[in-house]
Amino acid sequence: MQCDYFDAGRCRSCTLMGSPYRDQVADKATRAAAALAGAGPGLRWLDPVTGPEAHFRNKAKLVVAGRAGAPTFGILDPGGRGVDLRRCGLYEPGLAVTFDPLHRVVSALGIEPYDVPARRGELKHLIVTHSPDGEHLVRFVVRSPEAVALLRAALPEVTAALPSARVVTVNVLPEHKAVLEGDTEVVLTDDTHLTMRLPGATLLLGPRSFFQTNTRVATALYAQAAAWADHLSPTTVLDLYCGVGGFALHLAAPGRRVVGVETSAEAVGAATAGAQLNGLGSPEVEFTTGDATQDLPGAAPELVVVNPPRRGLGADLTAWLDAGDSRHLVYSSCHLGSLARDLGAMPSWRPVEARVFDMFPQTTHLETAVLLERR
C-alpha cells in the first residue's frame, strides 16, 4: 500500500507502511507462534486470515481541529495542530465518502474546533461507523451542552448532506484529557442502533458499542469460533465480555444454550435486541449485565468464549477458568502479551488450535484466536 500522507511525513500511524503485505502477515504469524511457544506442545496453527491491505476500516475516529469554517478531520501533529486525513486509504469506500459531506456541514455551522494547546473550542472528535448495508452511525464529540443544542437544530442539514446517516448522536466531553468520548450521549435520531448485517448473524451497534474495525476479518473470526463450536457440539456456552453479542449470536444453534455476560447495560440491550432480530430468545440465547471477572455462573458451561480487552483476563478469571469443569475454551485476543500470560496462568488447559486474524494491516497489531481443551 502506498500513502501520500506517510510519504510526506504528515502521518506515521501505519508503522508498517511500505512493507510488502505478505511479509507483514508472515511476521505476525511468526510472532504469534513465538509468543505461545511455551503454552504447551502440539498446538496447530491454521493459515492466517487476511483481508484487503487497504480500504478495510469500518470506523473512523477523527480529531477535529483547525478553525471555525475551515476544520481539519484527522489527527494532531506534535504541536497540537490539525492534520487533515480525509483521503486516508485505510477506510472502506462507503465510509470515506462521508467525510466531505460532513466537513461541509461542520464548516457551514461555524462550530469552533477544539484547540488542544489553548484548551478552548467546542468540537473535539467526529466518529463515523459504516455498515455492510451502506448506512452510518455519526457521533459528534463536543465540549458543552450548548453544542448539543446547535447540532440538534442542525440535524436536518446533517441528514440532508448524508442521507445514509441512520443514527446521529452528540457526546459531551467537557474535560481536557486524552480520551475519545465523555459519559453523556445524546441521540438525535429516532433510530438508536446501526444494523451490522453479517453472513452469520445480524448485530446492532449502539453509539458506544464495540465492534471489530475490519468487517471482513471479523466475519471470519466469528465463523472460526462457530466452526470450533459446531465441531465440539456443546449444549451450554458462556460468552464473557460478550459486547453486542458477536460471538454469542454466531454460536447459537438448536439444542444449545448460550449466555453472554457484559458490563455495559447498553451493549446487553443491543445484544438482546439483536437476538430477537435473529429470531433467537430465551432460553436459547440470553444476555446479562455483569462483571466477567466476578459475576460467574455456578454450573460450568461446556464451552467458554472470552474476548477480553488488551489487558487480558486477570487473576480472578484465569483462576476460575483453571479450576472449573468446562471442557473447552475459545480465547480471542488482541494482545499477544496478555494472551500468553493468561494461558501460562491456566495450566489445566491445553491449546490445541490457533489462528492469526490480520484485523489491522499496516500495523504490528493482530487478533489471535485459540481453541483450548481441558488437560
Side-chain angles (χ1 to χ4, degrees):
M1 177 181 172
Q2 184 274 334
C3 174
D4 290 341
Y5 297 120
F6 185 89
D7 293 344
R10 300 188 68 197
C11 176
R12 293 286 179 170
S13 300
C14 294
T15 56
L16 300 183
M17 184 67 67
S19 174
Y21 186 50
R22 181 180 299 178
D23 294 347
Q24 294 183 30
V25 175
D27 178 68
K28 291 179 183 183
T30 299
R31 288 195 292 114
L36 301 190
L43 174 58
R44 299 186 300 273
W45 284 93
L46 303 176
D47 291 339
V49 172
T50 62
E53 62 175 294
H55 307 298
F56 60 86
R57 292 189 66 95
N58 57 37
K59 186 174 186 177
K61 304 174 184 178
L62 304 169
V63 177
V64 182
R67 57 183 174 80
T72 60
F73 289 177
I75 59 173
L76 298 180
D77 68 12
R81 295 176 297 272
V83 178
D84 195 273
L85 298 180
R86 279 178 286 155
R87 301 296 177 263
C88 173
L90 296 184
Y91 300 112
E92 293 179 343
L95 176 58
V97 297
T98 69
F99 300 157
D100 284 352
L102 291 171
H103 187 269
R104 288 193 292 271
V105 170
V106 171
S107 299
L109 286 175
I111 186 169
E112 184 182 4
Y114 187 67
D115 185 325
V116 172
R119 300 194 177 192
R120 68 166 182 264
E122 190 58 72
L123 183 57
K124 294 185 172 184
H125 301 108
L126 179 67
I127 307 169
V128 188
T129 304
H130 174 240
S131 80
D133 290 345
E135 297 179 332
H136 298 95
L137 189 161
V138 180
R139 301 174 68 204
F140 297 93
V141 181
V142 301
R143 189 182 187 187
S144 71
E146 289 74 20
V148 177
L150 173 65
L151 288 164
R152 187 188 299 278
L155 180 61
E157 285 82 0
V158 174
T159 54
L162 193 65
S164 57
R166 178 63 59 187
V167 184
V168 180
T169 76
V170 184
N171 180 276
V172 182
L173 174 60
E175 300 89 358
H176 176 85
K177 54 184 179 182
V179 296
L180 186 65
E181 60 189 25
D183 296 330
T184 301
E185 193 88 26
V186 180
V187 181
L188 304 182
T189 49
D190 292 335
D191 289 314
T192 58
H193 293 85
L194 181 68
T195 301
M196 299 293 287
R197 205 178 313 276
L198 307 181
T202 297
L203 310 181
L204 294 176
L205 299 189
R208 298 170 181 269
S209 299
F210 169 78
F211 182 74
Q212 297 285 3
T213 191
N214 189 321
T215 302
R216 178 168 168 178
V217 178
T219 297
L221 174 64
Y222 294 139
Q224 180 64 70
W228 279 333
D230 289 344
H231 175 72
L232 299 170
S233 297
T235 58
T236 53
V237 177
L238 176 64
D239 180 10
L240 301 178
Y241 307 96
C242 70
V244 298
F247 283 103
L249 296 179
H250 281 82
L251 267 61
R256 182 183 300 164
R257 184 168 188 264
V258 182
V259 175
V261 178
E262 167 62 46
T263 56
S264 167
E266 178 186 310
V268 168
T272 302
Q276 295 171 352
L277 188 62
N278 286 274
L280 302 167
S282 183
E284 294 174 285
V285 179
E286 182 179 343
F287 296 97
T288 182
T289 304
D291 187 337
T293 65
Q294 298 177 8
D295 300 316
L296 300 169
E302 295 175 36
L303 170 66
V304 180
V305 178
V306 293
N307 183 30
R310 288 175 60 83
R311 65 179 178 270
L313 300 177
D316 291 344
L317 186 49
T318 53
W320 181 82
L321 289 167
D322 196 54
D325 295 322
S326 299
R327 301 310 306 163
H328 291 94
L329 171 67
V330 172
Y331 192 142
S332 178
S333 171
C334 63
H335 191 272
L336 286 173
S338 59
L339 172 62
R341 183 194 65 233
D342 288 343
L343 296 190
M346 297 187 293
S348 296
W349 291 98
R350 182 176 73 90
V352 294
E353 203 161 71
R355 196 167 203 175
V356 166
F357 294 81
D358 190 25
M359 205 76 70
F360 319 100
Q362 314 308 327
T363 77
T364 59
H365 302 295
L366 67 151
E367 190 84 12
T368 307
V370 185
L371 172 66
L372 300 102
E373 65 180 15
R374 183 75 63 180
R375 294 185 190 273

